[in-house]
Amino acid sequence: MIHKSNATVEINLAKLKQNLQTLRTYLDEDTRVMSVVKADAYGHGAVEVASTLEPMVEAFAVNDIHEGIELREQDITKPILVFEVPQKTTASQYRVHNLTATVSAREHFDWLPNGTSYHLNFDTGMGRLGFAPEDSKLVLSLMRENQNLFCTGLYSHFATADSPGSDFVTEQHRLFTTIREQFPQELSAHISNTGATAFYSSEQFDMVRLGIGLYGYSPGKTTIEGINPVLQWKSKLVQIKPIIEQSTVSYGATWEAPADGNLGIIPVGYDDGLKRSLSEELTVRINGKKYPLVGNITMNYTMVFLGDDEYKPGTSVELLYAESNAQDWASKIDTIPYEILTSINPKIPREYIL
Ligand SMILES: *Cc1c(COP(=O)(O)O)cnc(C)c1O
């Protein structure tokens, strides 16, 4: 991959570990943790995140098989669960790379080669992947008929666990309990994501699947105390030029300078993941001082109004930082921090701080 040099993403690995420790305080001592590192660890870099967390967690999860292979090639040895639906064409890869498949339909038993490990997935209300709860007897017999495959777990996924007090979570929990009771006790059962771990802490089974909380964000509007964002996004001013009162900036000429002053050019735009809908919504930090982004964000550039302040080209600009984090960005454009984080272009180099 060709790396960009217009910006850097800083990942604080000490904060990552601290977040895991905070989330563990919600769990019983023997509850295991599966660290979810899909989507390149929500933009944080799956290999580095997994290597850092490997001594502290019991398993990993990724979305697709290629993400799992990448981790194996970088010497991650703990169990890796692949969430995606197995395909006939790639079914042989699970065993080759010692990855755990997700079985959620009858044909998967036929496609996976002898010796493949898998977890069963049940749809208890998410309305996405998984066997229907009423199929549990059939699934149990398929499991017994296919002794050549190794079932090691059983899971489901909550639809509304991002905030406390949801009856729908209670209902899904009840359904999953009923399913779980029909299967051998030695299978590892898991249903909780970050939200269920923090807001429904009596709901755990054998293991939880932690994603967003590890990266320092709460899944919904209710804040989880004691976790902090791991990622910061920085760039540099490439140019500074005088701007006179009432002259306009960027496409559409939507922004007019309120006074004479200086305009800074930042070489980051929506191609980098700085969403265009955030135009005129953000403040960046330069030398500890906040300045507004002005005019429409373009594909590769964004402008900042500096007032009377003068800076040299090359001055560092903080785009995404503690007081203007992915949750703040998300609230402005009606999305969630997950989408902000995974939108940051993977070509921007990640720098790791211990
Ligand atoms: C992404 C995902 C998770 C992690 O969810 P967070 O809200 O990020 O903790 C857990 N389980 C499944 C099946 C997922 O797809």
Side-chain angles (χ1 to χ4, degrees):
M1 186 162 55
I2 302 163
H3 283 287
K4 291 177 153 241
S5 55
N6 59 331
T8 51
V9 166
E10 262 180 33
I11 311 288
N12 188 316
L13 296 173
K15 284 189 181 155
L16 178 75
K17 292 191 266 188
Q18 184 56 52
N19 292 340
L20 172 61
Q21 274 160 2
T22 300
L23 293 166
R24 275 224 189 256
T25 64
Y26 289 92
L27 301 173
D28 290 341
E29 216 151 286
D30 56 351
T31 308
R32 281 167 282 157
V33 171
M34 174 182 272
S35 155
V36 180
V37 295
K38 65 191 179 193
D40 205 26
Y42 297 36
H44 295 64
V47 171
E48 288 78 3
V49 165
S51 311
T52 303
L53 295 180
E54 187 158 39
M56 306 167 70
V57 299
E58 285 68 43
F60 295 101
V62 293
N63 179 57
D64 70 57
I65 193 155
H66 302 288
E67 295 176 313
I69 294 170
E70 182 188 27
L71 294 183
R72 284 287 180 250
E73 285 175 346
Q74 300 297 320
D75 300 325
I76 298 297
T77 58
K78 292 229 164 119
I80 300 174
L81 175 65
V82 179
F83 289 145
E84 75 171 331
V85 181
Q87 304 295 311
K88 207 171 178 177
T89 47
T90 53
S92 63
Q93 297 296 303
Y94 291 93
R95 198 192 53 194
V96 172
H97 297 280
N98 187 22
L99 301 169
T100 307
T102 290
V103 165
S104 59
R106 186 177 196 138
E107 61 270 24
H108 302 161
F109 288 102
D110 304 327
W111 296 345
L112 295 170
N114 289 351
T116 307
S117 297
Y118 70 93
H119 285 199
L120 291 163
N121 185 10
F122 280 92
D123 185 357
T124 56
M126 174 63 188
R128 196 171 61 176
L129 307 175
F131 289 104
E134 50 276 22
D135 288 342
S136 55
K137 285 226 160 51
L138 169 74
V139 175
L140 191 61
S141 62
L142 287 167
M143 185 189 106
R144 295 215 164 108
E145 279 164 32
N146 290 277
Q147 300 280 348
N148 52 321
L149 303 174
F150 305 126
C151 186
T152 53
L154 166 81
Y155 74 98
S156 189
H157 193 39
F158 284 126
T160 61
D162 58 333
S163 53
S166 162
D167 294 341
F168 203 66
V169 168
T170 317
E171 177 55 16
Q172 284 195 261
H173 186 268
R174 190 191 62 75
L175 267 175
F176 190 59
T177 306
T178 319
I179 297 165
R180 204 265 171 281
E181 283 162 358
Q182 301 171 52
F183 283 83
Q185 276 308 305
E186 62 270 21
L187 300 190
S188 173
H190 47 103
I191 187 168
S192 293
N193 51 12
T194 299
T197 299
F199 307 136
Y200 301 86
S201 42
S202 62
E203 314 288 311
Q204 305 339 329
F205 290 83
D206 303 312
M207 183 155 68
V208 297
R209 304 186 302 266
L210 300 179
I212 198 76
L214 292 175
Y215 309 109
Y217 288 95
S218 306
K221 293 201 169 69
T222 310
T223 304
I224 302 172
E225 298 299 333
I227 57 172
N228 295 292
V230 167
L231 180 153
Q232 290 199 306
W233 188 0
K234 294 182 178 171
S235 183
K236 290 186 161 89
L237 295 174
V238 277
Q239 274 195 355
I240 299 95
K241 60 183 189 186
I243 182 172
I244 55 169
E245 187 177 344
Q246 288 191 342
S247 56
T248 63
V249 165
S250 194
Y251 290 116
T254 51
W255 186 83
E256 248 181 41
D260 292 358
N262 290 312
L263 187 75
I265 321 292
I266 303 167
V268 174
Y270 54 81
D271 172 53
D272 298 286
L274 186 61
K275 290 175 175 286
R276 188 174 179 280
S277 49
L278 285 164
S279 296
E280 301 203 11
E281 293 284 353
L282 299 180
T283 49
V284 298
R285 202 162 57 181
I286 302 172
N287 252 350
K289 190 170 167 187
K290 289 179 184 167
Y291 298 94
L293 292 188
V294 297
N296 278 315
I297 292 168
T298 73
M299 189 182 290
N300 300 115
Y301 295 96
T302 304
M303 277 59 85
V304 53
F305 186 58
L306 301 168
D308 292 333
D309 295 348
E310 287 174 19
Y311 292 105
K312 293 210 156 50
T315 302
S316 180
V317 178
E318 294 174 89
L319 295 170
L320 193 134
Y321 50 98
E323 299 97 89
S324 180
N325 62 41
Q327 177 58 59
D328 301 320
W329 291 24
S331 323
K332 290 176 194 295
I333 57 171
D334 199 21
T335 184
I336 50 178
Y338 302 73
E339 190 187 353
I340 301 292
L341 294 171
T342 57
S343 297
I344 303 174
N345 193 320
K347 291 179 187 160
I348 300 172
R350 269 57 174 170
E351 286 177 4
Y352 294 90
I353 302 168
L354 296 175

